[in-house]
């Protein structure tokens, strides 16, 4: 087994644009024209190809591109007892409505053998002395948030009288699933977390005030559920967190600097590294990085996946050195700010442009930190 550990000097978040063959197979399956077995065969083939491309570019982390899921977060939640879903509404992003399945509680949250662990096992076979399989799952806070949004709070309250009880069950269920991943040979797990990105900025403040909710209490609960899930985790398992402000078809959900959440997630969340979105002015400055606890690495998401335009190399290098005023250079890494396809629809760039972005990430990292 590979002993490499994420994050690497040049890294990525995890999702990749779905190849046309996979899109066609999924459409054919949804139309009843091919079987689940036939869809799985195409998916296996396309994952094999996308892993080969990651290796060819010289990346040390490999993922399955999230090719087996429709949404970056909801599919994972469906793998717990007590959770159901159906095709339904959506969430308003800045430029368009993101189509999402309605996902809500019908019973207590409990772990069961999780299908994503089987997906991981398929990916793990591609590990070698230069690469390690990383699996991405939504953070516990993401699941907690999903169940207390206005459209779900009434059904959740029928099962959980308080947020504390919900936090407890989600945290304990995640502990179980983290152990399932570990037992399957996973040593690098990434928690994708839009909750911190969604509560930065004035819009969030107003949204929560309108609901009569204290924002600091929300932050404390997000921290609590994430840290509870990490309790008792195996010592030789690296768990990182990717913090995002939304990524759907090249649009975003929230804007705002990290200042208002740094005391919580940067200082107190018990992860090994933070993948941080820093690709434009919506992300604010680097000053909040001073709050990152000394045991964490920071992966600067300075290259955008929302646009095909390649960044200016010197400008990115200058930004890395600016960030190094707050976190030492040897604890910094570089990646795109998010995945290329958080949902099946993907962002507005081609596969060729996606790989060019990653080649640039590697080129810059080797210039800054050496080969």
């Amino acid at each position: 087994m590979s002993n490499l550990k994420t994050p690497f000097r040049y890294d990525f978040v995890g999702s990749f644009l779905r190849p046309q063959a996979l899109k066609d197979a999924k459409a054919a399956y949804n139309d009843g024209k091919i079987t689940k077995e036939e869809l799985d065969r195409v998916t296996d083939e396309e994952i094999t190809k996308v892993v080969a491309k990651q290796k060819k570019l010289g990346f040390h982390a490999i993922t399955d591109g999230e090719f087996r899921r429709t949404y970056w977060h909801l599919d994972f939640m469906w793998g717990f007892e007590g959770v159901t879903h159906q095709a339904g509404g959506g969430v308003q992003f800045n430029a368009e409505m993101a189509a999402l399945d309605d996902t809500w509680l019908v019973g207590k949250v409990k772990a069961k053998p999780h299908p994503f662990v089987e997906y991981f096992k398929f990916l793990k076979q591609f590990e070698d002395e230069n690469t390690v399989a990383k699996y991405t799952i939504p953070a516990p806070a993401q699941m907690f948030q999903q169940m207390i949004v206005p459209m779900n709070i009434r059904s959740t309250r029928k099962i959980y009288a308080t947020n504390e009880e919900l936090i407890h069950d989600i945290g304990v269920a995640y502990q179980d699933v983290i152990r399932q991943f570990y037992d399957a040979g996973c040593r690098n797990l990434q928690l994708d977390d839009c909750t911190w990105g969604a509560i930065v900025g004035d819009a969030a403040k107003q949204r929560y005030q309108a609901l009569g909710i204290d924002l600091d209490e929300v932050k404390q609960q997000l921290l609590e559920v994430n840290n509870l899930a990490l309790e008792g985790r195996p010592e030789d398992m690296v768990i990182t967190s990717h913090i995002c402000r939304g990524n759907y078809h090249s649009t975003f959900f929230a804007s705002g600097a990290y200042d208002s959440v740094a005391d919580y997630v940067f200082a107190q969340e018990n992860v090994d590294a933070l993948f941080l979105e820093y690709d434009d002015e919506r992300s604010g400055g680097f000053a909040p990085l001073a709050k990152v606890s000394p045991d964490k690495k920071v992966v600067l998401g300075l290259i955008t996946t929302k646009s095909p335009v390649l960044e200016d190399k010197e400008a990115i290098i200058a930004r890395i050195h600016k960030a190094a005023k707050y976190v030492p250079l040897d604890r910094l890494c570089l990646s795109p700010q998010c995945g290329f396809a958080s949902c099946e629809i993907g962002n507005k760039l081609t596969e060729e442009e996606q790989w060019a972005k990653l080649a640039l990430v590697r080129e810059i990292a080797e210039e800054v930190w050496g080969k």
Side-chain angles (χ1 to χ4, degrees), residues 159-181:
I159 295 149
Y160 290 103
T162 66
N163 283 358
E164 288 305 313
E165 293 166 77
L166 175 61
I167 285 168
H168 174 270
D169 281 8
I170 290 174
V172 169
Y174 261 81
Q175 288 174 11
D176 187 304
V177 172
I178 287 170
R179 174 56 68 173
Q180 289 179 39
F181 272 107

Side-chain angles (χ1 to χ4, degrees), residues 206-225:
Q206 288 161 10
R207 192 166 67 241
Y208 280 99
Q209 270 173 352
L211 296 168
I213 298 170
D214 175 56
L215 208 51
D216 284 333
E217 194 180 326
V218 176
K219 293 171 195 172
Q220 194 56 51
Q221 290 178 340
L222 299 178
L223 181 68
E224 191 183 332
V225 72

Side-chain angles (χ1 to χ4, degrees), residues 16-318:
F16 290 101
L17 294 169
R18 308 300 196 262
Q20 196 57 49
L22 183 56
K23 288 180 179 177
D24 292 346
K26 191 80 185 273
Y29 172 70
N30 289 338
D31 292 342
K33 292 175 181 166
I34 64 170
T35 63
K36 178 74 166 61
E37 287 71 28
E38 288 170 301
L39 171 61
D40 287 345
R41 185 179 54 76
V42 174
T43 308
D44 287 353
E45 283 171 9
E46 293 305 322
I47 288 171
T48 304
K49 287 180 197 168
V50 84
V51 168
K53 282 181 179 166
Q54 293 164 49
K55 288 184 173 187
K56 193 176 175 191
L57 273 178
F59 278 74
H60 299 297
I62 52 171
T63 73
D64 62 7
E66 302 179 8
F67 283 3
R68 297 191 195 278
R69 52 187 119 163
T70 303
Y71 309 109
W72 65 274
H73 57 330
L74 298 176
D75 298 49
F76 181 77
M77 298 177 199
W78 307 336
F80 289 89
E81 274 184 36
V83 180
T84 194
H85 68 104
Q86 66 181 27
V91 172
Q92 185 60 52
F93 274 60
N94 75 307
E96 63 183 283
M97 182 67 86
L100 300 170
D101 272 30
D102 292 334
T103 299
W104 72 98
L105 291 181
V106 288
K108 298 270 189 193
V109 176
K110 287 186 185 137
K112 57 184 178 181
H114 201 290
F116 277 37
V117 175
E118 295 307 311
Y119 302 166
F120 169 76
K121 287 177 184 173
F122 181 81
L123 175 68
K124 186 174 170 58
Q125 68 178 305
F126 300 109
E127 283 187 340
D128 56 34
E129 67 278 5
N130 295 313
T131 55
V132 66
K134 165 172 99 165
Y135 223 74
T136 62
I137 63 174
Q142 199 70 46
M143 185 165 171
F144 169 61
Q145 196 66 25
Q146 176 67 24
M147 303 314 170
I148 61 166
V149 292
M151 66 177 287
N152 278 342
I153 190 70
R154 283 178 66 186
S155 54
T156 295
R157 281 291 174 258
K158 289 176 188 168
I159 295 149
Y160 290 103
T162 66
N163 283 358
E164 288 305 313
E165 293 166 77
L166 175 61
I167 285 168
H168 174 270
D169 281 8
I170 290 174
V172 169
Y174 261 81
Q175 288 174 11
D176 187 304
V177 172
I178 287 170
R179 174 56 68 173
Q180 289 179 39
F181 272 107
Y182 184 83
D183 290 345
C186 179
R187 297 294 179 270
N188 293 266
L189 195 64
Q190 177 181 299
L191 307 175
D192 291 329
D193 199 343
C194 274
T195 63
W196 299 109
I199 60 171
V200 297
D202 294 333
K205 211 171 193 173
Q206 288 161 10
R207 192 166 67 241
Y208 280 99
Q209 270 173 352
L211 296 168
I213 298 170
D214 175 56
L215 208 51
D216 284 333
E217 194 180 326
V218 176
K219 293 171 195 172
Q220 194 56 51
Q221 290 178 340
L222 299 178
L223 181 68
E224 191 183 332
V225 72
N226 282 347
N227 279 346
L228 175 59
L230 297 169
E231 278 181 22
R233 72 182 227 212
E235 279 181 24
D236 60 337
M237 189 178 199
V238 173
I239 301 185
T240 62
S241 179
H242 165 238
I243 296 174
C244 181
R245 292 172 184 77
N247 184 51
Y248 179 87
H249 206 213
S250 291
T251 63
F252 61 86
F253 176 73
S255 298
Y258 291 112
D259 302 60
S260 63
V261 297
D263 283 324
Y264 294 86
V265 64
F266 288 9
Q268 299 180 69
E269 192 159 292
N270 296 328
V271 289
D272 297 299
L274 296 166
F275 284 74
L276 299 178
E277 185 178 56
Y278 264 120
D279 61 329
D280 63 15
E281 63 284 350
R282 287 186 307 106
S283 310
F286 294 128
L289 294 178
K291 299 278 178 72
V292 175
S293 56
D295 56 342
K296 289 188 191 81
K297 289 182 179 173
V298 172
V299 186
L300 299 168
L302 299 174
I303 307 288
T304 192
T305 63
K306 295 181 190 292
S307 146
V309 179
L310 277 177
E311 283 77 0
D312 176 70
K313 195 159 83 167
E314 296 313 316
I316 297 297
I317 290 171

